[in-house]
Amino acid sequence: MSRQVLLFISLFSLGLVYGQVSYSIPEEMTKGSLVGNIAQDLGLEIKRLVAGKAKIYTRNSDVYVELNRERGVLLVKERIDREALCTETALCALHFQIILENPMEFYSVAVQITDINDNAPTFEKSEMKFKISESAIVGAKFVLDRAVDLDVGINSVHGYDLKPSDNFALKVHNNADGNKNVEMVLQKPLDREKQEQISLVLTAVDGGEPQMTGTMLILITVLDVNDNAPVFTQPTYKATVTENSAKGTVVATVTARDADQGSNGKITYSITNTLDSVRKIFEINEENGEVSLIGDIDFERSKYYQINLLASDDGGLTDSCKLIVDVQDVNDNKPEINIMSKSNVISEDAKPNTVVTMINIEDLDSGENGNVKCFVIENIPFSLKASTNNFYSLVTDSELDRERSSEYNITVTCSDEGVPSLSSSVTLTLQISDVNDNAPVFERSSYEAYIVENNTPGLSVFTVKARDADWNQNARVSYILEDSSVNGVPVSSYVSVSADSGVIHAVRSFDYEQIKDFHFRVKAQDGGSPPLTSNVTVKILIQDQNDNPPQVLYPVQTGGSMVAEMVPRSADVGYLVTKVVAVDVDSGQNAWLSYKLQKATDRALFEVGLQNGEIRTIRQVTDKDAVKQRLTVIVEDNGQPSRSATVVVNVAVADSFPEVLSEFTDFPHDKEYNDNLTFYLVLALAVVSFLFITCLVVIISVKIYRWRQSRVLYQSNLPVIPYYPPRYSDTLGTGTLQHVYNYEVCRTTDSRKSDCKFGRAGSQNVLIMDPSSTGTMQRIQNEKSILDEPDSPLEVSYVM
């Protein structure tokens, strides 16, 4: 088997490789026979064919050649019959392309199919009959049917032989189209009386090896004299017909004349073509010679037809001519779009001029009707570029952005230049794959949230949310709490962030009185590689809760001493007895305090200011009022639910201290001793020591007053609340109490059995009003109390 290889390779600036290889093989090769080493002939490595998924692309459905990637060779896939594959052409070839991917390449391959002598010459008819007048002159010609051999070249009909050759000789004429006209020529006059019937055998011989033949029987009937044969007016007729003309259309009319008369001059027309295609498309009227259409004319199948015509009279004389019919093309075929190779997915970071799809265009029409131009719609980042004749590449011409468009439906339209123009289109769907080119974006530039103090640890405070314009894993957002500190403590001990949902949880229970707000940063990170991040500031504000009851600052409540406020019996309505001072460490309405009189010895005598806690008389004090008055004041805040504190205020209604002393000695401070000692102590002090005590109290009062003025101010941790100290000036205009009551208490060596017992304390808090100040309360702490000396006299003074 001989095989010829022709290799032609071209390189294009678009990144495509185009090459052409030609092979030549004989027909009828067995399946699996080697066509050629395509890898070697193209200069490609075997691994390139495998990695590039090399495949054969052909426009026809029948595939006679297959590609073996592992060996890099072309093999015969199906038995090839040249006569079935190429019926009317001498040159027969298979044309296909080899396509490779990554990068895309294609090569054109042509396989020439050479003929072998596998068909014998055949005649359309097994016998042919002639009626020849005995008056036929020597040299008369009789056209014989020529033999048909499906083989071509030297394997086709090579010659003819006529036996016996007593009366007739064989004459063969070579036509310009390569066919042969066979004529039987009378060499010797016929004599009907000697031989009325003559039988001859016409043998057709081809030139192949081995040589093959075909025969046809010729029966000749000798007639009486008919000495004029029909003669066509032209040896060759020409006509033109438009493709797709309707059946019955008259193509041409041929005319033959016969000088004889009668039946010998009656001419009959017929078509002598041996190819079926002519007789299936054309027919001739036997009487008038009109050639008309009986089949479909298709320019793409055949551009012209040669019709062999015969005119014969009843005497058996004939003449022949040929009719050449040219077919005119019309634009009746749309461009055909064939997808050679395409990508369904492309990355959004693909560079410009990246090949997406390769397309082959074919229009069966000719001339301008077959000139095709292709284009794509505008406003998409793709364009069509012509690579070779009728081959196009769809490439990217700008940057892609999946977030702007994740899919493109690209419509490729091809139209020819015929009138009217015909077009066809195909839509290609291309998915854009994502790359991580977008960082997460929070819904807000900053967040602010509130949480009520005393919350349960683990409570969900609120949620931060970030969105990522990317897709799939690149858009999966995780939330991370950035490292920072709040008052020197890591922020992670205050709050935590759910990595998946962004929910912020309180790690501890917050106390508004310790921390009122704090801020931290949350980072959002996507799942791309490398990951992209963004962050946002979050501020948490602690809301106050009514979790602290009011605290009473004045009057000071001690467990071992009694404090009483004195009201003279001459006090008018609205007389200011004292003021209850309280504070609440909560804030807002939780710290708004109100004062109410809960219990009183005489509720009709005193009232408490709802807002300021001032205890005033609501009627004139009379002699009938008890000296000892006990008031219980409740202080409530405005929280929900409200909290409260109570304070007991002892009020003495009297004009003199001894009167007060006699009444208050029965206050139960120490039930174990007071019941037995009160009466005896008061009586002894009143009778024996009245004068001594009076002088002593005056002296001690003066010293204590001077001592109090010299002490440093005590700085309390509680908020300073204005209150009214002794020497308070009544704003209601009811007068002030300027009376100073001094009394001296002498305690026995056994203080537990004294009439009046005052509890020992490490320090004493005294609330005073600085005369030079504008009304601001100051609190002074005596770091060393006079009570530190066990047997020292104690002076207590109340200034009203």
Side-chain angles (χ1 to χ4, degrees), residues 141-162:
K141 300 176 182 179
F142 303 93
V143 179
L144 303 177
D145 291 345
R146 60 173 177 251
V148 176
D149 194 333
L150 297 179
D151 295 325
V152 296
I154 194 172
N155 297 323
S156 63
V157 177
H158 184 66
Y160 294 88
D161 185 32
L162 184 64

PDB file of all heavy atoms in Angstrom, residues 141-162:
ATOM      1  N   LYS A 141     -23.647   4.949 -40.277  1.00  0.00           N
ATOM      2  CA  LYS A 141     -23.279   4.839 -38.854  1.00  0.00           C
ATOM      3  C   LYS A 141     -24.508   4.501 -38.008  1.00  0.00           C
ATOM      4  O   LYS A 141     -25.602   5.014 -38.244  1.00  0.00           O
ATOM      5  CB  LYS A 141     -22.693   6.154 -38.338  1.00  0.00           C
ATOM      6  CG  LYS A 141     -21.432   6.600 -39.088  1.00  0.00           C
ATOM      7  CD  LYS A 141     -20.974   7.954 -38.582  1.00  0.00           C
ATOM      8  CE  LYS A 141     -19.758   8.467 -39.333  1.00  0.00           C
ATOM      9  NZ  LYS A 141     -19.317   9.800 -38.876  1.00  0.00           N
ATOM     10  N   PHE A 142     -24.255   3.666 -37.037  1.00  0.00           N
ATOM     11  CA  PHE A 142     -25.307   3.269 -36.093  1.00  0.00           C
ATOM     12  C   PHE A 142     -24.727   3.417 -34.667  1.00  0.00           C
ATOM     13  O   PHE A 142     -23.726   2.789 -34.316  1.00  0.00           O
ATOM     14  CB  PHE A 142     -25.750   1.824 -36.344  1.00  0.00           C
ATOM     15  CG  PHE A 142     -26.235   1.593 -37.754  1.00  0.00           C
ATOM     16  CD1 PHE A 142     -25.355   1.137 -38.746  1.00  0.00           C
ATOM     17  CD2 PHE A 142     -27.541   1.861 -38.107  1.00  0.00           C
ATOM     18  CE1 PHE A 142     -25.798   0.945 -40.038  1.00  0.00           C
ATOM     19  CE2 PHE A 142     -27.975   1.656 -39.411  1.00  0.00           C
ATOM     20  CZ  PHE A 142     -27.113   1.195 -40.387  1.00  0.00           C
ATOM     21  N   VAL A 143     -25.359   4.309 -33.958  1.00  0.00           N
ATOM     22  CA  VAL A 143     -24.866   4.607 -32.598  1.00  0.00           C
ATOM     23  C   VAL A 143     -25.243   3.482 -31.636  1.00  0.00           C
ATOM     24  O   VAL A 143     -26.404   3.037 -31.597  1.00  0.00           O
ATOM     25  CB  VAL A 143     -25.440   5.937 -32.072  1.00  0.00           C
ATOM     26  CG1 VAL A 143     -24.944   6.215 -30.643  1.00  0.00           C
ATOM     27  CG2 VAL A 143     -25.062   7.075 -33.007  1.00  0.00           C
ATOM     28  N   LEU A 144     -24.264   3.002 -30.918  1.00  0.00           N
ATOM     29  CA  LEU A 144     -24.459   1.934 -29.947  1.00  0.00           C
ATOM     30  C   LEU A 144     -24.399   2.512 -28.518  1.00  0.00           C
ATOM     31  O   LEU A 144     -23.758   3.528 -28.256  1.00  0.00           O
ATOM     32  CB  LEU A 144     -23.378   0.857 -30.107  1.00  0.00           C
ATOM     33  CG  LEU A 144     -23.273   0.208 -31.491  1.00  0.00           C
ATOM     34  CD1 LEU A 144     -22.122  -0.788 -31.514  1.00  0.00           C
ATOM     35  CD2 LEU A 144     -24.586  -0.465 -31.876  1.00  0.00           C
ATOM     36  N   ASP A 145     -25.082   1.870 -27.628  1.00  0.00           N
ATOM     37  CA  ASP A 145     -24.981   2.261 -26.208  1.00  0.00           C
ATOM     38  C   ASP A 145     -23.571   1.982 -25.694  1.00  0.00           C
ATOM     39  O   ASP A 145     -23.022   0.904 -25.955  1.00  0.00           O
ATOM     40  CB  ASP A 145     -25.992   1.492 -25.355  1.00  0.00           C
ATOM     41  CG  ASP A 145     -27.419   1.911 -25.637  1.00  0.00           C
ATOM     42  OD1 ASP A 145     -27.622   2.974 -26.261  1.00  0.00           O
ATOM     43  OD2 ASP A 145     -28.340   1.191 -25.207  1.00  0.00           O
ATOM     44  N   ARG A 146     -23.043   2.957 -25.003  1.00  0.00           N
ATOM     45  CA  ARG A 146     -21.714   2.736 -24.458  1.00  0.00           C
ATOM     46  C   ARG A 146     -21.822   2.067 -23.091  1.00  0.00           C
ATOM     47  O   ARG A 146     -22.832   2.185 -22.378  1.00  0.00           O
ATOM     48  CB  ARG A 146     -20.943   4.040 -24.357  1.00  0.00           C
ATOM     49  CG  ARG A 146     -21.555   5.098 -23.485  1.00  0.00           C
ATOM     50  CD  ARG A 146     -20.588   6.275 -23.349  1.00  0.00           C
ATOM     51  NE  ARG A 146     -21.182   7.353 -22.560  1.00  0.00           N
ATOM     52  CZ  ARG A 146     -21.561   8.495 -23.068  1.00  0.00           C
ATOM     53  NH1 ARG A 146     -21.423   8.720 -24.371  1.00  0.00           N
ATOM     54  NH2 ARG A 146     -22.091   9.427 -22.284  1.00  0.00           N
ATOM     55  N   ALA A 147     -20.748   1.406 -22.774  1.00  0.00           N
ATOM     56  CA  ALA A 147     -20.695   0.696 -21.499  1.00  0.00           C
ATOM     57  C   ALA A 147     -20.333   1.666 -20.364  1.00  0.00           C
ATOM     58  O   ALA A 147     -19.713   2.709 -20.592  1.00  0.00           O
ATOM     59  CB  ALA A 147     -19.679  -0.436 -21.559  1.00  0.00           C
ATOM     60  N   VAL A 148     -20.719   1.299 -19.178  1.00  0.00           N
ATOM     61  CA  VAL A 148     -20.441   2.096 -17.988  1.00  0.00           C
ATOM     62  C   VAL A 148     -19.571   1.275 -17.050  1.00  0.00           C
ATOM     63  O   VAL A 148     -19.887   0.108 -16.760  1.00  0.00           O
ATOM     64  CB  VAL A 148     -21.738   2.521 -17.278  1.00  0.00           C
ATOM     65  CG1 VAL A 148     -21.413   3.261 -15.989  1.00  0.00           C
ATOM     66  CG2 VAL A 148     -22.581   3.384 -18.192  1.00  0.00           C
ATOM     67  N   ASP A 149     -18.478   1.885 -16.618  1.00  0.00           N
ATOM     68  CA  ASP A 149     -17.605   1.256 -15.626  1.00  0.00           C
ATOM     69  C   ASP A 149     -17.484   2.238 -14.451  1.00  0.00           C
ATOM     70  O   ASP A 149     -17.041   3.375 -14.630  1.00  0.00           O
ATOM     71  CB  ASP A 149     -16.222   0.967 -16.223  1.00  0.00           C
ATOM     72  CG  ASP A 149     -15.409   0.021 -15.341  1.00  0.00           C
ATOM     73  OD1 ASP A 149     -15.642   0.003 -14.101  1.00  0.00           O
ATOM     74  OD2 ASP A 149     -14.538  -0.665 -15.870  1.00  0.00           O
ATOM     75  N   LEU A 150     -17.906   1.799 -13.276  1.00  0.00           N
ATOM     76  CA  LEU A 150     -17.887   2.680 -12.104  1.00  0.00           C
ATOM     77  C   LEU A 150     -16.475   3.060 -11.689  1.00  0.00           C
ATOM     78  O   LEU A 150     -16.286   4.021 -10.939  1.00  0.00           O
ATOM     79  CB  LEU A 150     -18.616   2.024 -10.926  1.00  0.00           C
ATOM     80  CG  LEU A 150     -20.100   1.757 -11.138  1.00  0.00           C
ATOM     81  CD1 LEU A 150     -20.704   1.081  -9.929  1.00  0.00           C
ATOM     82  CD2 LEU A 150     -20.849   3.044 -11.469  1.00  0.00           C
ATOM     83  N   ASP A 151     -15.488   2.303 -12.138  1.00  0.00           N
ATOM     84  CA  ASP A 151     -14.120   2.665 -11.831  1.00  0.00           C
ATOM     85  C   ASP A 151     -13.728   3.875 -12.654  1.00  0.00           C
ATOM     86  O   ASP A 151     -14.429   4.275 -13.606  1.00  0.00           O
ATOM     87  CB  ASP A 151     -13.175   1.500 -12.112  1.00  0.00           C
ATOM     88  CG  ASP A 151     -13.454   0.314 -11.193  1.00  0.00           C
ATOM     89  OD1 ASP A 151     -13.819   0.564 -10.019  1.00  0.00           O
ATOM     90  OD2 ASP A 151     -13.323  -0.839 -11.640  1.00  0.00           O
ATOM     91  N   VAL A 152     -12.590   4.471 -12.295  1.00  0.00           N
ATOM     92  CA  VAL A 152     -12.128   5.665 -12.995  1.00  0.00           C
ATOM     93  C   VAL A 152     -10.704   5.453 -13.475  1.00  0.00           C
ATOM     94  O   VAL A 152     -10.018   4.496 -13.076  1.00  0.00           O
ATOM     95  CB  VAL A 152     -12.204   6.900 -12.074  1.00  0.00           C
ATOM     96  CG1 VAL A 152     -13.625   7.217 -11.678  1.00  0.00           C
ATOM     97  CG2 VAL A 152     -11.342   6.695 -10.825  1.00  0.00           C
ATOM     98  N   GLY A 153     -10.291   6.392 -14.318  1.00  0.00           N
ATOM     99  CA  GLY A 153      -8.918   6.340 -14.802  1.00  0.00           C
ATOM    100  C   GLY A 153      -8.686   5.139 -15.699  1.00  0.00           C
ATOM    101  O   GLY A 153      -9.517   4.761 -16.537  1.00  0.00           O
ATOM    102  N   ILE A 154      -7.562   4.507 -15.470  1.00  0.00           N
ATOM    103  CA  ILE A 154      -7.209   3.354 -16.297  1.00  0.00           C
ATOM    104  C   ILE A 154      -8.120   2.172 -16.046  1.00  0.00           C
ATOM    105  O   ILE A 154      -8.250   1.268 -16.881  1.00  0.00           O
ATOM    106  CB  ILE A 154      -5.729   2.980 -16.053  1.00  0.00           C
ATOM    107  CG1 ILE A 154      -5.248   2.028 -17.152  1.00  0.00           C
ATOM    108  CG2 ILE A 154      -5.553   2.381 -14.662  1.00  0.00           C
ATOM    109  CD1 ILE A 154      -3.771   1.763 -17.085  1.00  0.00           C
ATOM    110  N   ASN A 155      -8.786   2.165 -14.866  1.00  0.00           N
ATOM    111  CA  ASN A 155      -9.687   1.060 -14.543  1.00  0.00           C
ATOM    112  C   ASN A 155     -11.048   1.202 -15.190  1.00  0.00           C
ATOM    113  O   ASN A 155     -11.894   0.310 -15.057  1.00  0.00           O
ATOM    114  CB  ASN A 155      -9.853   0.954 -13.020  1.00  0.00           C
ATOM    115  CG  ASN A 155      -8.548   0.618 -12.315  1.00  0.00           C
ATOM    116  OD1 ASN A 155      -7.754  -0.160 -12.850  1.00  0.00           O
ATOM    117  ND2 ASN A 155      -8.326   1.198 -11.147  1.00  0.00           N
ATOM    118  N   SER A 156     -11.299   2.329 -15.876  1.00  0.00           N
ATOM    119  CA  SER A 156     -12.582   2.501 -16.572  1.00  0.00           C
ATOM    120  C   SER A 156     -12.532   1.824 -17.946  1.00  0.00           C
ATOM    121  O   SER A 156     -11.559   1.142 -18.294  1.00  0.00           O
ATOM    122  CB  SER A 156     -12.882   3.997 -16.713  1.00  0.00           C
ATOM    123  OG  SER A 156     -11.892   4.609 -17.519  1.00  0.00           O
ATOM    124  N   VAL A 157     -13.601   2.067 -18.724  1.00  0.00           N
ATOM    125  CA  VAL A 157     -13.698   1.421 -20.058  1.00  0.00           C
ATOM    126  C   VAL A 157     -12.525   1.866 -20.925  1.00  0.00           C
ATOM    127  O   VAL A 157     -12.285   3.072 -21.089  1.00  0.00           O
ATOM    128  CB  VAL A 157     -15.037   1.762 -20.723  1.00  0.00           C
ATOM    129  CG1 VAL A 157     -15.088   1.160 -22.126  1.00  0.00           C
ATOM    130  CG2 VAL A 157     -16.181   1.244 -19.859  1.00  0.00           C
ATOM    131  N   HIS A 158     -11.812   0.892 -21.425  1.00  0.00           N
ATOM    132  CA  HIS A 158     -10.608   1.200 -22.208  1.00  0.00           C
ATOM    133  C   HIS A 158     -10.841   1.045 -23.720  1.00  0.00           C
ATOM    134  O   HIS A 158     -10.266   1.787 -24.509  1.00  0.00           O
ATOM    135  CB  HIS A 158      -9.467   0.295 -21.762  1.00  0.00           C
ATOM    136  CG  HIS A 158      -8.168   0.594 -22.427  1.00  0.00           C
ATOM    137  ND1 HIS A 158      -7.480   1.778 -22.240  1.00  0.00           N
ATOM    138  CD2 HIS A 158      -7.420  -0.126 -23.306  1.00  0.00           C
ATOM    139  CE1 HIS A 158      -6.386   1.774 -22.945  1.00  0.00           C
ATOM    140  NE2 HIS A 158      -6.311   0.634 -23.623  1.00  0.00           N
ATOM    141  N   GLY A 159     -11.720   0.099 -24.094  1.00  0.00           N
ATOM    142  CA  GLY A 159     -11.968  -0.122 -25.523  1.00  0.00           C
ATOM    143  C   GLY A 159     -13.143  -1.048 -25.759  1.00  0.00           C
ATOM    144  O   GLY A 159     -13.715  -1.611 -24.813  1.00  0.00           O
ATOM    145  N   TYR A 160     -13.540  -1.180 -27.049  1.00  0.00           N
ATOM    146  CA  TYR A 160     -14.667  -2.018 -27.447  1.00  0.00           C
ATOM    147  C   TYR A 160     -14.206  -2.964 -28.557  1.00  0.00           C
ATOM    148  O   TYR A 160     -13.279  -2.679 -29.320  1.00  0.00           O
ATOM    149  CB  TYR A 160     -15.830  -1.153 -27.943  1.00  0.00           C
ATOM    150  CG  TYR A 160     -16.454  -0.281 -26.873  1.00  0.00           C
ATOM    151  CD1 TYR A 160     -15.934   0.989 -26.627  1.00  0.00           C
ATOM    152  CD2 TYR A 160     -17.558  -0.721 -26.148  1.00  0.00           C
ATOM    153  CE1 TYR A 160     -16.511   1.801 -25.668  1.00  0.00           C
ATOM    154  CE2 TYR A 160     -18.127   0.077 -25.182  1.00  0.00           C
ATOM    155  CZ  TYR A 160     -17.603   1.331 -24.939  1.00  0.00           C
ATOM    156  OH  TYR A 160     -18.175   2.115 -23.994  1.00  0.00           O
ATOM    157  N   ASP A 161     -14.953  -4.073 -28.660  1.00  0.00           N
ATOM    158  CA  ASP A 161     -14.674  -5.058 -29.727  1.00  0.00           C
ATOM    159  C   ASP A 161     -15.998  -5.601 -30.242  1.00  0.00           C
ATOM    160  O   ASP A 161     -16.878  -5.945 -29.429  1.00  0.00           O
ATOM    161  CB  ASP A 161     -13.792  -6.185 -29.178  1.00  0.00           C
ATOM    162  CG  ASP A 161     -13.394  -7.158 -30.281  1.00  0.00           C
ATOM    163  OD1 ASP A 161     -13.255  -6.699 -31.432  1.00  0.00           O
ATOM    164  OD2 ASP A 161     -13.231  -8.337 -29.966  1.00  0.00           O
ATOM    165  N   LEU A 162     -16.168  -5.633 -31.555  1.00  0.00           N
ATOM    166  CA  LEU A 162     -17.424  -6.082 -32.163  1.00  0.00           C
ATOM    167  C   LEU A 162     -17.151  -7.366 -32.955  1.00  0.00           C
ATOM    168  O   LEU A 162     -16.280  -7.390 -33.828  1.00  0.00           O
ATOM    169  CB  LEU A 162     -17.975  -4.989 -33.090  1.00  0.00           C
ATOM    170  CG  LEU A 162     -19.328  -5.278 -33.735  1.00  0.00           C
ATOM    171  CD1 LEU A 162     -20.419  -5.377 -32.662  1.00  0.00           C
ATOM    172  CD2 LEU A 162     -19.677  -4.179 -34.759  1.00  0.00           C
TER     173      LEU A 162
END
